[in-house]
Amino acid sequence: MLHRGHESRDGTDDGELAVPMAWLYAEYIADELLRTGDLMPPTSFEFRAGRDALALTVFLSDTDGELSGIRVISQLENWLSLTAYDQPWQDWVRTRMAELTDRAAESGVPSPDLALAVDAWRWLEETELLAPDLDAVPGGALTAGEDDGPKVWTPAWRLGLPLGHLAIHLF
C-alpha cells in the first residue's frame, strides 16, 4: 500500500513524496492490540519490542499489499500462528524481508515501507533487554517474587514476540 502525493516547495517541483502507509498501518494495528491488552506501559522498551514484532508480523503477512481495516479480524488467527512459541518467526521474517528486498530491487523503486520494516527488524535483533530467565526456573514458571529471580539479556524480538502473541489473544 504505497500512496504518493505531490510535494511542492516553490510551486515548480513536481517530485513525488512516497508515504509508507502499509508500514504505518501495520504499526497502528500492533499498537492498538498491545494497548488493548494493557500488558505494559506504552513508554517501555518492552512495549516497543512487542509493537515492532507485531508490526513486522502484520506487514510481512500482507502478501497481496492490500492491508485493510476490514480484514484485521480475519487475520488474527494467522498472526497467532505466526507468533506462536514453537514457530521459527525470526526465520520467517528474514525470508519475507529478503523476498520484499528482491522485489524492490527488481522494480527499481525504493520502498519506504520496507525501509521502516528493516529498521524495526534491526532494532529487534540488535537491542537486548533484561528479562526473566525462564530457562533457569523449574517448569518455566515464575514465582511471586519474579523481580528477584534470575535475569538474562535477550534480543528484543524474543521478548516482544510473546508479548505480541499474548496481546492478540487478549484482543
Side-chain angles (χ1 to χ4, degrees), residues 12-34:
T12 61
D13 187 6
D14 286 348
E16 292 184 358
L17 173 65
V19 179
M21 292 303 295
W23 176 259
L24 293 174
Y25 190 58
E27 200 171 50
Y28 169 76
I29 291 169
D31 193 77
E32 286 300 309
L33 288 169
L34 282 166

Side-chain angles (χ1 to χ4, degrees), residues 35-107:
R35 286 179 190 272
T36 301
D38 197 25
L39 298 170
M40 76 282 310
T43 56
S44 68
F45 285 114
E46 292 83 359
F47 185 92
R48 178 179 177 187
R51 185 194 63 218
D52 284 0
L54 270 178
L56 275 172
T57 303
V58 170
F59 176 73
L60 296 175
S61 66
D62 181 32
T63 56
D64 298 329
E66 298 178 359
L67 192 61
S68 71
I70 296 170
R71 289 189 12 192
V72 168
I73 299 300
S74 66
Q75 290 295 313
L76 290 176
E77 287 298 320
N78 182 38
W79 300 336
L80 273 174
S81 68
L82 289 168
T83 59
Y85 177 74
D86 59 346
Q87 296 301 310
W89 182 81
Q90 70 280 13
D91 294 334
W92 174 78
V93 169
R94 288 184 188 113
T95 300
R96 286 289 296 141
M97 294 283 267
E99 290 169 2
L100 292 175
T101 300
D102 290 346
R103 206 177 301 158
E106 288 172 6
S107 73

